[in-house]
Amino acid sequence: MDPLPSSLLPAGVRSRILPGINGLDMHVLEAGFETPNRPAVLLLHGFPELAYSWRKVMPALAAAGYHVFAPDQRGYGRTTGWDSSYDGDLAPFRFTNLARDALGVVDAMGHREDVWTNPVFRQILVGGVKWACGDAPASDMSPNLLQVAPGAMT
């Protein structure tokens, strides 16, 4: 599938396809890409949203100095490579696979080190995987992102 036309996006936001992300060709919206070495912000949508849902937030985050990207997650939008059949296998939609998809996007965007050096991102990722695997109660999930976000990615 092709990226979104730029006429549908705010200035400074682009659409592209990242091939080979955990077996998928992932559609991603991106802002703040013009300047290298910016800290990363990964925006993930929920049901029934798309990466497009973040389009109005992305320019403000980019203006604040971040490299911002939002993928269409597995099963959504312009991301392809998953089994869309009615009786298809649901195993690829397990949380560990969705986390692998997100990490693949972060790596493909050139922010591999951010995953392990940023304590907030690491806490969210590890807490989410533990919760999804049944190793921790939901109360052990990382703090509310709205409480963590100010200055967390700097």
Side-chain angles (χ1 to χ4, degrees), residues 24-38:
L24 304 172
D25 291 337
M26 293 194 78
H27 172 249
V28 177
L29 295 184
E30 177 183 21
F33 50 85
E34 308 87 354
T35 307
N37 300 321
R38 289 177 168 215

Side-chain angles (χ1 to χ4, degrees), residues 142-154:
S142 78
N144 182 325
L145 285 179
L146 295 175
Q147 295 171 349
V148 175
M153 297 300 285
T154 59

Side-chain angles (χ1 to χ4, degrees), residues 53-130:
S53 303
W54 292 109
R55 73 193 180 285
K56 293 182 179 180
V57 174
M58 296 176 80
L61 290 169
Y66 296 102
H67 181 197
V68 187
F69 36 95
D72 279 340
Q73 294 193 76
R74 180 180 295 265
Y76 292 87
R78 294 174 178 269
T79 291
T80 60
W82 49 278
D83 182 1
S84 63
S85 63
Y86 179 77
D87 289 327
D89 184 12
L90 296 179
F93 292 88
R94 290 186 179 137
F95 185 84
T96 50
N97 226 14
L98 299 176
R100 204 175 284 137
D101 295 347
L103 288 172
V105 170
V106 171
D107 184 40
M109 296 304 244
H111 293 279
R112 176 178 282 211
E113 290 77 27
D114 292 352
V115 172
W116 305 116
T117 60
N118 184 294
V120 173
F121 190 49
R122 187 173 58 243
Q123 178 186 6
I124 293 167
L125 176 67
V126 172
V129 170
K130 283 177 63 178

